[in-house]
Amino acid sequence: VPMAMHAAFAHKGVRWIAGGWVAFMTENVVLSHNRQEIIAEFGEKAYRTGYSCLSTAACSSILYGYLRYGRKQGPIIWRPNTPAGAAALLLQGCGLVGFSQMFPPLS
């Protein structure tokens, strides 16, 4: 598997998309963790503007990587067979049902 991952990261699209996801997650963790300090120093409006700009940049990187390098041309690490695809569909369905239980009931 490590060799497959190395081969995958050699692809430009994977680097753009993975880099965008890493930037997005890092930005969310850092800005959320330091929210009070940033607001105290720069204000609520600057915090929201900075958060929005960084999120947009990270998501734009993901979109660019997919549109420019990802569609039907990136590496395929795993090609599911029929039983694996069925199991993935079942597990995803269970996860979505569980996720739907988090929302308040509609009245």
Side-chain angles (χ1 to χ4, degrees):
V1 175
M3 193 55 163
M5 292 302 285
H6 178 70
F9 277 98
H11 189 269
K12 227 179 207 183
V14 173
R15 290 195 309 266
W16 272 99
I17 294 167
W21 273 111
V22 168
F24 183 76
M25 290 184 290
T26 302
E27 162 254 317
N28 275 280
V29 168
V30 170
L31 291 179
S32 296
H33 183 73
N34 297 302
R35 183 177 194 273
Q36 297 303 323
E37 292 84 0
I38 295 170
I39 291 174
E41 183 73 25
F42 301 104
E44 179 77 27
K45 185 173 185 201
Y47 173 78
R48 289 188 184 276
T49 301
Y51 206 116
S52 297
C53 288
L54 290 172
S55 290
T56 300
C59 290
S60 296
S61 167
I62 297 167
L63 182 65
Y64 174 76
Y66 176 72
L67 293 177
R68 175 69 173 91
Y69 301 106
R71 288 182 298 171
K72 299 182 183 189
Q73 56 182 323
I76 297 173
I77 296 174
W78 177 64
R79 190 179 302 273
N81 54 21
T82 304
L89 183 64
L90 177 70
L91 290 173
Q92 186 175 22
C94 291
L96 290 172
V97 168
F99 181 71
S100 72
Q101 300 304 307
M102 295 173 38
F103 297 106
L106 296 173
S107 300

